[in-house]
Amino acid sequence: MIDFTVNKEGLQHNIEKARENGIIIPTIRQMQHPELIPEQIKEKLSHTGLWDVDPVNLFRITWKNEPKESGGLFREIPNIIELPSALTGVKARIFAIVGKWFPTGCHKVGASFGCLAPRLVTGQFDATKHKAVWPSTGNYCRGGAFNSKLLSCDSIAILPAEMSRERFDWLSKIAGEVIATPGCESNVKEIFDKTWELRQRPEVMIFNQFEEMGNPLWHYNVTGHALADAFEAIKGEKDRFAGACFTSGSAGTMSAGDYLKEQYPNLKLGVGEALQCPTILDNGFGGHRIEGIGDKHIPWIHNVKNTDMVVDIDDEDSQRLLRLFNTPEGIDYLVSVGVERELAEQLSLLGISGIANILCCIKMAKYYEFTENDVLGTVLTDSADMYQSRIKELAEMYGEYDAHKAELDHNLHILNLKDDNMLELTYKERKRVHNLKYYTWVEQQGRTVEELNALWYDTENTWDAVHKQAEQLDEYIEAFNKEVGLL
């Protein structure tokens, strides 16, 4: 459960700071339904850039932004990209909602909001004395640093040293402090170790996406709703929402799957990970290159009991497809095999983890032999904008690109995908995965066995209760905004 205990002194400081800096905080309800956003906010957004460091951009933490770099308002349905069979090689329809049109170009700005907002509007986090620490494998700390800047809070971003250069360049301008921990995407423990060091500093407050229940609260109530809205908008008369897959990362998006399984009870929910680090599949470990899905542990906030399948993706597939989707030669080849050019030119909306999400959907479709009436959904965490340096590295590594290499990449890394390195999770298998939480969270991170067991045996008072706290959070946000007095 999320703690809503009020610290009156901190709350008053936050109200005063918000008043001084013109800060109004959006509700979860407004993120679901941006048509509810006040007109004075929309008027300001109409001449504000998507990435501008302006507190009004808090109201762009929604999947329904207009796809515009500046001045955009909102759509009735989320931004959607649907991938045709000519590209995927499967009969099933596969769609994704697009993360590029969030501030920072990534949906993690929403997850970080879900973690910060409850402590901000209760005064537990005092913006006049605390620094917000954002441990991350890349995008979450970007979102946290951005939200901190919008809310006039100091921030510390933590991410592995081997993440893409674009992340570090941007963070250097936004975060108060940037800490690069040793290793790559898989080195999450090193990030956790750094947070324990920082806890010794009285002015810091840790917002750990891997355990903060504000993360699943946001994804369940915002991303889950957005995926359902997207399906309802594109479905045909005989279509059924058959499956959803999300790479684990912090596992926040898995709670969007919790929402979808409630709305569509026959839906299969899959969790993806890198084959090079098969922690869920077979308790494995290793390094990999699918940026945005830190692993070698099971996140505290992953509701494993509600997960139907694990799908492992070879990181070489995601890298090769990043190049296919972001070169003129690759685009021309895809058009030649039946992909509409307009769509082919939109494939830059897929960042590396977004590509992995799509590959998970393809493998799930093959495993369950889904038909043209089956629809699978996922999310694109970010876009290729964050990986231009990686595309350049691939060119240096593999040489010039041409139609023949594009054909090989399409056939080897999409059309030839097999239903191997997957596991349909029985009750016992889910319990095995859940039990892996013990070694990170009880032995290392201060959780108790009782808390761990509650996540498995008492879903009503854990997962279900957290999902319902969005209404309570909105009440605190509305009360906060009323005291600030800017609406």
Side-chain angles (χ1 to χ4, degrees):
M1 294 285 285
I2 295 172
D3 179 13
F4 284 103
T5 302
V6 173
N7 180 311
K8 292 183 179 180
E9 180 182 9
L11 177 57
Q12 188 57 41
H13 289 164
N14 293 345
I15 290 169
E16 292 168 2
K17 193 159 190 176
R19 191 179 296 132
E20 292 169 7
N21 291 281
I23 296 166
I24 303 167
I25 300 176
T27 63
I28 298 295
R29 183 71 173 163
Q30 288 167 333
M31 294 175 182
Q32 295 171 337
H33 303 285
E35 67 272 15
L36 301 176
I37 293 171
E39 290 302 318
Q40 70 185 77
I41 300 292
K42 293 179 182 177
E43 194 283 325
K44 189 171 183 183
L45 286 171
S46 69
H47 50 82
T48 301
L50 183 63
W51 288 39
D52 287 357
V53 182
D54 187 315
V56 76
N57 266 330
L58 290 168
F59 285 87
R60 285 191 169 127
I61 301 177
T62 175
W63 291 97
K64 297 182 179 180
N65 290 311
E66 283 186 313
K68 298 172 65 175
E69 296 286 350
S70 183
L73 292 177
F74 307 102
R75 299 159 48 96
E76 291 185 14
I77 61 172
N79 293 290
I80 304 167
I81 184 169
E82 182 173 345
L83 305 181
S85 295
L87 176 63
T88 66
V90 296
K91 294 178 181 179
R93 298 177 64 186
I94 297 175
F95 78 90
I97 53 177
V98 178
K100 177 177 178 175
W101 303 110
F102 281 86
T104 77
C106 176
H107 74 59
K108 288 281 190 174
V109 73
S112 61
F113 174 91
C115 296
L116 177 59
R119 294 200 219 173
L120 188 79
V121 298
T122 59
Q124 296 172 25
F125 177 87
D126 186 334
T128 66
K129 68 178 184 182
H130 286 128
K131 291 184 177 181
V133 177
W134 303 99
S136 169
T137 55
N139 279 324
Y140 175 76
C141 68
R142 291 178 60 244
F146 188 75
N147 282 336
S148 298
K149 193 80 169 178
L150 297 185
L151 293 164
S152 299
C153 307
D154 289 333
S155 65
I156 301 173
I158 307 175
L159 70 167
E162 296 177 24
M163 301 304 289
S164 68
R165 177 49 46 193
E166 288 86 348
R167 287 174 165 84
F168 285 100
D169 290 344
W170 184 86
L171 281 166
S172 68
K173 303 181 183 96
I174 298 293
E177 183 179 350
V178 180
I179 299 173
T181 53
C184 68
E185 185 65 31
S186 297
N187 293 85
V188 174
K189 184 179 183 298
E190 288 78 358
I191 297 168
F192 290 171
D193 290 345
K194 178 57 67 173
T195 66
W196 281 107
E197 289 181 30
L198 293 172
R199 288 176 202 271
Q200 308 310 309
R201 293 163 53 176
E203 78 278 13
V204 307
M205 185 172 288
I206 311 295
F207 293 90
N208 187 342
Q209 63 171 330
F210 300 96
E211 67 173 327
E212 289 274 343
M213 285 297 176
N215 186 350
L217 177 146
W218 187 85
H219 275 296
Y220 175 93
N221 287 284
V222 181
T223 304
H225 278 251
L227 283 161
D229 288 346
F231 170 73
E232 294 298 328
I234 68 170
K235 72 177 182 180
E237 183 180 351
K238 297 181 180 180
D239 286 348
R240 49 189 169 264
F241 206 158
C245 293
F246 311 101
T247 45
S248 176
S250 68
T253 45
M254 293 301 295
S255 59
D258 291 347
Y259 176 82
L260 293 177
K261 285 175 72 71
E262 292 173 6
Q263 303 303 310
Y264 308 96
N266 294 320
L267 178 140
K268 298 292 186 181
L269 176 59
V271 60
E273 63 179 1
L275 178 61
Q276 287 73 17
C277 188
T279 306
I280 305 173
L281 184 66
D282 60 12
N283 303 356
F285 51 87
H288 68 87
R289 299 173 294 165
I290 305 177
E291 298 189 44
I293 61 166
D295 37 30
K296 280 198 284 197
H297 79 294
I298 307 301
W300 182 257
I301 63 169
H302 183 179
N303 182 8
V304 181
K305 197 172 186 178
N306 208 22
T307 304
D308 299 300
M309 170 175 281
V310 56
V311 185
D312 276 36
I313 299 298
D314 192 323
D315 68 1
E316 184 70 5
D317 292 334
S318 62
Q319 298 295 316
R320 295 288 187 148
L321 295 176
L322 179 68
R323 195 178 187 199
L324 174 66
F325 296 161
N326 289 279
T327 58
E329 297 83 359
I331 299 303
D332 288 344
Y333 162 77
L334 292 173
V335 172
S336 75
V337 296
V339 178
E340 293 185 7
R341 181 168 292 278
E342 182 180 0
L343 176 63
E345 291 176 348
Q346 290 183 319
L347 294 176
S348 63
L349 292 172
L350 281 68
I352 296 175
S353 64
I355 292 171
N357 280 338
I358 295 296
L359 296 180
C360 287
C361 288
I362 293 171
K363 293 188 70 166
M364 176 183 273
K366 290 187 175 185
Y367 181 93
Y368 287 114
E369 301 180 308
F370 285 149
T371 72
E372 59 274 9
N373 295 130
D374 294 305
V375 181
L376 296 94
T378 189
V379 301
L380 306 181
T381 306
D382 57 17
S383 71
D385 290 352
M386 281 293 107
Y387 306 102
Q388 293 304 304
S389 61
R390 297 300 190 211
I391 297 169
K392 183 178 179 181
E393 290 168 7
L394 289 166
E396 293 170 352
M397 186 182 306
Y398 298 119
E400 292 185 10
Y401 209 53
D402 56 31
H404 177 64
K405 290 181 179 179
E407 182 179 17
L408 285 174
D409 284 343
H410 184 215
N411 280 271
L412 290 176
H413 303 290
I414 298 184
L415 300 183
N416 197 45
L417 285 179
K418 302 293 192 296
D419 60 357
D420 56 356
N421 300 306
M422 304 172 68
L423 181 64
E424 195 166 12
L425 297 175
T426 64
Y427 181 89
K428 289 292 187 180
E429 284 291 346
R430 298 178 203 205
K431 186 69 181 296
R432 170 187 64 80
V433 177
H434 172 82
N435 287 346
L436 290 176
K437 292 184 182 183
Y438 174 87
Y439 303 100
T440 298
W441 299 105
V442 178
E443 289 194 344
Q444 299 174 21
Q445 303 300 323
R447 294 287 185 171
T448 67
V449 170
E450 290 74 20
E451 290 176 302
L452 180 65
N453 285 335
L455 294 179
W456 185 262
Y457 294 110
D458 189 10
T459 55
E460 182 179 355
N461 291 305
T462 51
W463 306 110
D464 294 347
V466 167
H467 296 157
K468 294 175 183 176
Q469 284 187 290
E471 185 175 338
Q472 187 178 6
L473 175 58
D474 279 356
E475 290 174 358
Y476 277 91
I477 291 171
E478 289 169 351
F480 183 91
N481 288 337
K482 184 176 181 180
E483 288 298 315
V484 173
L486 296 177
L487 278 175

